Amino acid sequence: MTNSAFKPVRKAVFPVAGLGTRFLPATKAIPKEMLTVGEQPLIQHAVEEARNAGIEEFIFVSSPSKEALRMHFRKNDELESSLEKKGKPDLLKKLQASNIADGKLHVTYQEKPLGLGHAVWCAKEFVGREPFAVILPDDVVNHPRGCIAQMMDVYNRHGGNLVATKEVPLEDTAKYGILSVGTDDGKTVSIKGLVEKPKPESAPSRLCVVGRYILQPEVFDYLDAFETGAGGEIQLTDSMAKLIGKQPFHGVRFEGGHYDCGSRLGFIEANVAYGLSDPSIADDVRKILDNYR
């Protein structure tokens, strides 16, 4: 049940302007976000997770070369008619699930790769002055109740800003934004600070930020400054950190398998996991895996 004291989260931002160089040459002509995990491209996993959490508007921060992302979510009357005539209702249903209604999908462009903070800033005019979600399609979470829906439950209790989080090995802290935590009930942690890619010896915890956020519009007030941080980029983490103490800020330990599909290994692992979770092919997938033991 939504707490009326907190504005509803109706919009989600999807930063999808990256070139996907780690997957070349596959991504030379096809956006990385169109690579498939299970039956769906990465971007559809992200959009469906948002839609199932009650998100109504979808904002892609993209590049002009990625028109395929927009086209994927357009209604295809010819293809739908063909499937209907051929008596393939299951395929038709899957196809229609990818449609986004006119006026609900917005595309803006990030002309230079200046960092995640800059990508989110590019969506400012579409977001307006209301809370919003940010979903990184590279981060796939496999769970019947999506990560953003789980975060919405916490948002409806606490309001403010939230990030998804999980524990990582201490030696890996330099790869992530890391939380400095206050209270911790095992599911939700209060956040005292955020550090971008700290060395293991200076990491405040092993809880990292996973690519899911619910943010208040005041984050744009800090992103407007275009301050650079780690790696010389405009870091979203730096602007979020400035909201701590001014607004509620929590981390949510989510349920479900998490796969970093920005890496080849994570992408392969995600496909194996989705294959094993699909009853129609799970047994055959296990047999294939047994052949490589």
Side-chain angles (χ1 to χ4, degrees), residues 232-254:
E233 296 184 334
I234 299 170
Q235 298 289 349
L236 180 61
T237 303
D238 293 341
S239 290
M240 292 193 307
K242 293 176 181 177
L243 295 173
I244 297 171
K246 300 180 177 70
Q247 297 176 339
F249 217 122
H250 293 86
V252 180
R253 285 190 175 94
F254 57 92

Side-chain angles (χ1 to χ4, degrees), residues 200-212:
E201 59 270 23
S202 58
S205 76
R206 294 194 294 116
L207 285 174
C208 77
V209 178
V210 175
R212 302 290 187 277

Side-chain angles (χ1 to χ4, degrees), residues 44-113:
Q44 188 170 337
H45 281 287
V47 165
E48 288 195 1
E49 180 183 326
R51 187 149 43 192
N52 292 337
I55 296 296
E56 300 170 7
E57 295 188 42
F58 310 86
I59 305 162
F60 290 180
V61 180
S62 189
S63 65
S65 64
K66 293 191 172 186
E67 181 63 15
L69 296 179
R70 188 202 298 261
M71 293 299 296
H72 179 74
F73 292 99
R74 283 183 180 168
K75 192 174 188 295
N76 188 321
D77 291 325
E78 181 180 1
L79 189 51
E80 289 187 17
S81 176
S82 175
L83 292 175
E84 191 171 7
K85 289 176 181 177
K86 292 179 180 179
K88 298 183 177 181
D90 292 342
L91 278 178
L92 178 61
K93 185 176 180 181
K94 289 179 182 179
L95 180 67
Q96 291 173 333
S98 68
N99 296 342
I100 295 179
D102 290 345
K104 298 299 183 180
L105 175 60
H106 313 287
V107 179
T108 187
Y109 298 118
Q110 183 185 27
E111 296 181 359
K112 295 181 180 179

